[in-house]
Amino acid sequence: SPQRVQIFQTIRRLINLVVTDLVENTMAQIKSHQIASLEQVGKHPKALVSFSKELQTKITELKRFLFAHLYRQYRVERMADKAERILTDLFRAYRHNPKILPPYVYELTQGEDPDRAICDYIAGMTDRFALEEHQKLFDPHEKV
């Protein structure tokens, strides 16, 4: 459909704008700071890879718009709330009984920071895996 083509072209232009700005601004930063080696990059006190100030301003404006008009939409709010409950349930279950974690994660929970090990494990989950894991742990009719 013409609308899909227009959306595709707009996305392509936005990606091109962002990538081009990042490359050009980074090259300008490298040149202005007279960076000639990878070692100099590592020793430089500020990040050399960044968007231009103009694009950073536009990105900030876009984020504000999206937050106000999309992220706070009724269905998005409900989904975010549901996701938070699922992740909280998983964390509490793993914290209460770390033996239900995979053996390699369980071993990590026996160290100095068990909460960090659990958080890292959950953070590495795909959405689908987290939902399936939640079902296995909390739905009495689901196979473990």
Side-chain angles (χ1 to χ4, degrees):
S1 75
Q3 185 180 15
R4 288 185 68 141
V5 170
Q6 187 177 15
I7 290 170
F8 175 77
Q9 289 174 342
T10 301
I11 291 170
R12 196 173 79 207
R13 277 191 228 115
L14 285 172
I15 291 170
N16 185 53
L17 171 74
V18 170
V19 171
T20 301
D21 181 88
L22 184 66
V23 170
E24 288 176 357
N25 193 63
T26 300
M27 294 302 293
Q29 292 274 32
I30 289 170
K31 188 176 181 179
S32 73
H33 294 298
Q34 300 175 337
I35 302 293
S37 70
L38 186 56
E39 186 179 340
Q40 288 177 310
V41 170
K43 290 181 178 179
H44 194 71
K46 290 173 49 182
L48 296 168
V49 178
S50 65
F51 297 116
S52 67
K53 295 274 189 247
E54 297 81 23
L55 187 61
Q56 286 176 355
T57 300
K58 288 178 182 178
I59 290 171
T60 300
E61 289 174 24
L62 178 60
K63 285 180 180 179
R64 281 189 191 127
F65 175 83
L66 290 173
F67 190 79
H69 295 93
L70 178 64
Y71 299 150
R72 291 293 169 195
Q73 186 190 31
Y74 167 77
R75 290 184 63 212
V76 174
E77 280 288 322
R78 287 174 59 102
M79 288 173 57
D81 188 66
K82 186 178 189 177
E84 184 178 336
R85 280 196 313 277
I86 289 169
L87 297 176
T88 300
D89 286 349
L90 289 175
F91 179 84
R92 286 182 178 153
Y94 295 146
R95 190 65 175 106
H96 176 72
N97 183 5
K99 290 183 180 180
I100 64 174
L101 287 160
Y104 76 95
V105 181
Y106 171 75
E107 289 300 319
L108 295 172
T109 65
Q110 301 310 294
E112 288 182 25
D113 195 354
D115 291 350
R116 173 81 291 157
I118 294 168
C119 285
D120 289 346
Y121 177 63
I122 292 172
M125 292 180 176
T126 62
D127 293 350
R128 175 177 286 170
F129 183 81
L131 288 170
E132 289 170 356
E133 187 72 353
H134 190 270
Q135 270 188 311
K136 288 175 186 175
L137 294 175
F138 293 95
D139 183 348
H141 301 290
E142 188 72 24
K143 286 187 177 181
V144 207

